[in-house]
Amino acid sequence: MYARRRRAYFLLMGGCLVLFVSAWAFVRLWSVPVAVGMCVVAMVIPPVAAVVANRRGPEDRWWDDPSGDPKSDEWWDELDDKKRRR
């Protein structure tokens, strides 16, 4: 799961770099408004890439991880009707 999120992050960020570099390397020679539009699209990609990289899937069981506080873990296990293996 982690590898899939990491791959998606690097693809999005790679696309961002390609848009930005190509906009000012050669697209600006034909059309400055298109180059600016490409930069605006490239500006939106990094926050989306961060969300994609930090998203947890349905198979990620982060809520079952112990918190480190034995009393709190015992209380949550009691609420969930679960016996934690020690």
Side-chain angles (χ1 to χ4, degrees):
M1 187 63 201
Y2 175 72
R4 186 178 333 148
R5 290 192 317 234
R6 188 177 60 193
R7 188 176 316 115
Y9 175 80
F10 284 119
L11 283 173
L12 283 167
M13 292 305 289
C16 175
L17 286 174
V18 166
L19 279 172
F20 186 76
V21 170
S22 65
W24 296 114
F26 57 88
V27 173
R28 71 175 170 86
L29 299 173
W30 290 285
S31 174
V32 172
V34 172
V36 170
M38 289 172 68
C39 284
V40 169
V41 171
M43 179 181 67
V44 174
I45 293 175
V48 172
V51 169
V52 167
N54 290 312
R55 181 184 59 197
R56 294 200 185 255
E59 62 275 359
D60 291 339
R61 306 276 304 182
W62 58 271
W63 58 86
D64 287 344
D65 292 341
S67 67
D69 179 18
K71 189 170 184 172
S72 174
D73 292 340
E74 182 181 330
W75 184 75
W76 281 107
D77 288 345
E78 182 181 332
L79 282 178
D80 293 338
D81 287 332
K82 180 171 69 173
K83 298 285 186 191
R84 184 171 300 279
R85 286 180 253 148
R86 303 244 178 212

